[in-house]
Amino acid sequence: AQTVTQSQPEMSVQEAETVTLSCTYDTSESDYYLFWYKQPPSRQMILVIRQEAYKQQNATENRFSVNFQKAAKSFSLKISDSQLGDAAMYFCAYRSARYGGSQGNLIFGKGTKLSVKP
Amino acid sequence: NAGVTQTPKFQVLKTGQSMTLQCAQDMNHNSMYWYRQDPGMGLRLIYYSASEGTTDKGEVPNGYNVSRLNKREFSLRLESAAPSQTSVYFCASSVQLYEQYFGPGTRLTVT
């Protein structure tokens, strides 16, 4: 079974600085998707970024980028120019590329709480 | 576009009471999901529906039932609520392999 591990329960960053959140995963599959979701105090789960395992290029979305290391099974999220609105829980998630049964479901890590200091 | 909507937003139940959490999506997605989120545990899948007319158990299905009423709606029922079911419940939907979109959540307390 696949697992997702976020080893940093809490992180803190100064406004305008850069922070990197770590995520590792375990799978025997070669094709899959990885996601980062943000959950602010409102509780709403918001998709931040998506990475397809077959793509070598790291995904980027404005100030958010990932460092995807397939061999190391590592998927870290870098937030540049941190803003107060970035303060939230961040969840890393894995999804198999096979579709059928439970294989298409998301497997979440336990989250990292990010604080942004003004 | 409302996306994924859930009702109610908050609910308090006594042990043994029953209730149904409602979820609807207007994105024409095939797949729908129910998760629970507990402190320090991340999100865990309760049940999912890969397509209209099908439902399957996830990681933590005990004590719950689901109904995929039509393509838009997917409800979660607690037949006899227990304090261990105190949690925040999220509904989500997706188009097959793509990302899941989440509703705002329901905070349920069972006393």
Side-chain angles (χ1 to χ4, degrees):
Chain A
Q2 295 86 7
T3 58
V4 176
T5 303
Q6 294 178 248
S7 59
Q8 306 152 316
E10 296 188 28
M11 293 279 287
S12 180
V13 64
Q14 205 71 35
E15 196 175 6
E17 297 292 306
T18 296
V19 65
T20 299
L21 308 184
S22 300
C23 173
T24 58
Y25 57 95
D26 188 26
T27 183
S28 59
E29 298 178 331
S30 59
D31 200 12
Y32 47 87
Y33 298 86
L34 295 165
F35 306 89
W36 278 98
Y37 280 88
K38 170 185 177 181
Q39 187 180 41
S42 67
R43 288 205 314 257
Q44 182 73 48
M45 293 287 287
I46 302 164
L47 177 70
V48 175
I49 202 163
R50 177 180 79 169
Q51 174 79 44
E52 291 89 340
Y54 64 86
K55 289 186 177 178
Q56 292 188 337
Q57 188 172 6
N58 289 324
T60 62
E61 283 289 340
N62 300 315
R63 297 183 295 107
F64 298 87
S65 61
V66 298
N67 183 4
F68 173 49
Q69 302 286 330
K70 191 172 184 179
K73 296 180 183 175
S74 170
F75 182 60
S76 60
L77 175 70
K78 185 171 85 170
I79 306 174
S80 304
D81 185 25
S82 296
Q83 300 175 0
L84 294 177
D86 295 333
M89 283 290 288
Y90 286 81
F91 292 94
C92 178
Y94 169 102
R95 186 175 197 177
S96 171
R98 290 185 292 168
Y99 194 76
S102 64
Q103 293 157 349
N105 300 322
L106 282 174
I107 299 167
F108 285 89
K110 294 184 177 181
T112 296
K113 183 177 181 180
L114 178 67
S115 302
V116 181
K117 298 178 180 176
Chain B
N1 255 359
V4 180
T5 58
Q6 292 182 235
T7 55
K9 285 189 168 48
F10 301 92
Q11 184 71 48
V12 179
L13 291 178
K14 289 187 165 60
T15 297
Q17 288 184 319
S18 63
M19 78 161 295
T20 299
L21 281 65
Q22 306 286 355
C23 174
Q25 52 92 8
D26 62 0
M27 297 176 283
N28 202 34
H29 288 169
N30 294 323
S31 302
M32 297 185 74
Y33 312 81
W34 277 106
Y35 292 90
R36 60 178 288 171
Q37 184 179 26
D38 303 301
M41 296 292 291
L43 277 76
R44 293 182 293 169
L45 184 67
I46 304 170
Y47 270 93
Y48 67 99
S49 171
S51 61
E52 187 179 353
T54 68
T55 60
D56 282 289
K57 295 177 181 180
E59 182 185 353
V60 288
N62 290 345
Y64 305 94
N65 285 302
V66 291
S67 295
R68 183 75 183 266
L69 304 169
N70 48 55
K71 191 171 186 179
R72 288 187 63 249
E73 298 171 288
F74 187 40
S75 62
L76 178 72
R77 183 161 178 83
L78 286 70
E79 291 291 350
S80 179
S84 61
Q85 294 177 305
T86 293
S87 189
V88 179
Y89 291 85
F90 287 96
C91 178
S93 70
S94 73
V95 177
Q96 293 193 344
L97 294 176
Y98 294 102
E99 54 269 17
Q100 294 182 14
Y101 292 87
F102 287 81
T106 295
R107 182 177 292 278
L108 175 66
T109 302
V110 183
T111 61

